[in-house]
Amino acid sequence: MMLAAVLVIGACSPKETVQPVTDDGTQPSGDLAPLEKRAKIYIAEDGAASGAGFYIAKEKGYFEDYNITVDFADFANSDDMLPALAAGEVDIAGGVSTASFFNAIAQGIDVRIIADKGHNMPEKSYFSFVIGNHMIDVIKDYSDFKGKKIAVSSRNSIDGYIYEEMLKHAGLTEDDVEYVHIADFGAMLGAIDSGTIDAALNIEPLIAQGIHNKFHVRFGDTTDYAPESQIAMVLASPKFMANEELSIRFMAAYLKGVRDYNDAFFKGKGKKEVVDIMVKHTSLKDPDLWDRVFVTGLDPNGKMFVDDIKKQYETYKANGAIRGEIDFDKSVDPTLVERAIKEIGLYEE
């Protein structure tokens, strides 16, 4: 689906003067002044848990503090999303590492990778391997995957990348295991429960649901062999990035949402409110399940694992799945995060 409406760029001038809107003379955000003219931002987001920063910032009024309205736009697939983003028909989107994503950029789709939108937390990876109950006494170490049937949802994607990193860590090759392609994460639950497969690379909340239903058990942690994997990224259109007054306010609001997320899930502060927001915006509608899942890691200072993004690209390239070259100095742009942090300060762990 392509949006008919586009963001009106130039809603405010670089030297804008804004009158405070609060009674005590302070800015509602506590930092940057709101825009003089109301702006709307279109975000391509599909209800993924990694969109928490967007949802929380919207529901808690952080965008509103800057006189920004946010609308979420759904796309049938990411192949439609990237051209719309490059054209400025949407302003922000979430990107997951795949060969097709990098190929789109290499072939001229101009988007910017600007902030973290998902990574695994040490010892609490939301994207990890599970093994069937029939394998509990058999698979004790990664090397025990030898000769086993392992389900992965796709190759030349973040799934395939993690699978390959696990094999290297285990000292195994592709020939040592039986790769089983199961595109649907949900279908992996039945396959592992029936013994059709021995292990699977699955994702939350299905990992937690499968453990609860005794279909499988969690095995190890993704950070054992891919400690700094960039799973998803915030993407921006060049047109949006050019509007400095708007884009810096977007990033400040987004990071505030991410910080509330970290406070809730890792410090226990305001958790009920944040869980209610996540229940509203994601497919995980059971509030109690949020206490059992390993949640997506979101960096409260927006930091990306840039070296890993490059490593994923090189992995897909070595597999023959990449056509063209990428200028990462152009495509990866952390300057918006850096500018926003100067305004709102660093998050202290």
Side-chain angles (χ1 to χ4, degrees), residues 248 251 255 301 333-343:
I248 191 174
M251 184 56 70
L255 290 179
N301 293 310
D333 187 351
T335 57
L336 192 57
V337 164
E338 294 165 357
R339 292 179 59 218
I341 287 176
K342 286 182 180 179
E343 300 295 339

Side-chain angles (χ1 to χ4, degrees), residues 101-102 105 109-116 230 233-236 241 302-311 313 326-338:
F101 167 75
F102 288 121
I105 296 176
I109 297 295
D110 191 9
V111 300
R112 300 291 186 269
I113 302 169
I114 62 171
D116 174 52
Q230 190 67 54
M233 301 149 283
V234 179
L235 312 175
M241 293 287 285
K303 177 185 174 183
M304 296 178 282
F305 298 122
V306 177
D307 287 345
D308 190 70
I309 296 173
K310 295 176 181 178
K311 184 179 177 182
Y313 166 80
I326 290 179
D327 181 356
F328 282 98
D329 289 336
K330 175 185 176 183
S331 298
V332 179
D333 187 351
T335 57
L336 192 57
V337 164
E338 294 165 357

Side-chain angles (χ1 to χ4, degrees), residues 21-276:
V21 297
T22 55
D23 293 337
D24 62 2
T26 60
Q27 302 297 346
S29 65
D31 40 72
L32 292 163
L35 297 171
E36 284 186 328
K37 184 177 180 180
R38 193 163 189 81
K40 178 175 282 191
I41 294 175
Y42 290 101
I43 300 176
E45 185 54 68
D46 59 0
S50 61
F54 305 141
Y55 314 140
I56 296 168
K58 178 181 175 71
E59 296 296 333
K60 297 193 72 171
Y62 298 142
F63 291 121
E64 186 67 31
D65 286 345
Y66 297 125
N67 204 18
I68 295 171
T69 299
V70 164
D71 277 354
F72 294 113
D74 290 330
F75 284 79
N77 56 63
S78 58
D79 290 339
D80 290 339
M81 177 190 72
L82 288 177
L85 184 67
E89 294 171 343
V90 294
D91 307 295
I92 297 292
V96 179
S97 166
T98 64
S100 61
F101 167 75
F102 288 121
N103 278 327
I105 296 176
Q107 292 166 22
I109 297 295
D110 191 9
V111 300
R112 300 291 186 269
I113 302 169
I114 62 171
D116 174 52
K117 190 179 174 281
H119 61 270
N120 284 312
M121 299 296 291
E123 300 181 3
K124 291 188 176 182
S125 295
Y126 81 102
F127 190 58
S128 199
F129 282 96
V130 293
I131 61 173
N133 294 315
H134 63 292
M135 287 285 113
I136 291 175
D137 295 326
V138 178
I139 301 176
K140 299 291 187 179
D141 199 352
Y142 290 104
S143 59
D144 296 329
F145 277 118
K146 185 173 184 178
K148 304 302 184 294
K149 298 177 181 178
I150 305 176
V152 182
S153 67
S154 60
R155 300 304 303 265
N156 293 312
S157 66
I158 189 61
D159 309 60
Y161 171 76
I162 288 177
Y163 170 69
E164 290 183 41
E165 290 298 296
M166 184 279 291
L167 291 179
K168 293 175 188 175
H169 177 75
L172 302 174
T173 69
E174 297 267 359
D175 293 335
D176 290 324
V177 299
E178 183 176 344
Y179 172 88
V180 180
H181 178 76
I182 300 181
D184 183 354
F185 288 112
M188 293 180 185
L189 298 182
I192 203 166
D193 183 48
S194 67
T196 304
I197 58 174
D198 302 313
L201 180 58
N202 214 313
I203 195 166
E204 295 286 15
L206 293 174
I207 293 175
Q209 291 172 333
I211 293 171
H212 180 71
N213 292 318
K214 298 181 170 36
F215 292 151
H216 58 224
V217 297
R218 192 185 298 272
F219 183 80
D221 190 84
T222 305
T223 58
D224 293 340
Y225 45 86
E228 295 185 341
S229 287
Q230 190 67 54
I231 307 297
M233 301 149 283
V234 179
L235 312 175
S237 73
K239 188 176 181 182
F240 177 73
M241 293 287 285
N243 188 336
E244 296 182 1
E245 297 298 322
L246 176 58
S247 60
I248 191 174
R249 285 163 173 78
F250 157 79
M251 184 56 70
Y254 171 71
L255 290 179
K256 289 177 184 180
V258 170
R259 292 173 182 196
D260 285 352
Y261 174 90
N262 278 265
D263 284 346
F265 288 109
F266 305 115
K267 296 182 180 179
K269 298 179 181 178
K271 185 173 181 180
K272 183 182 184 306
E273 181 183 13
V274 167
V275 167
D276 287 345

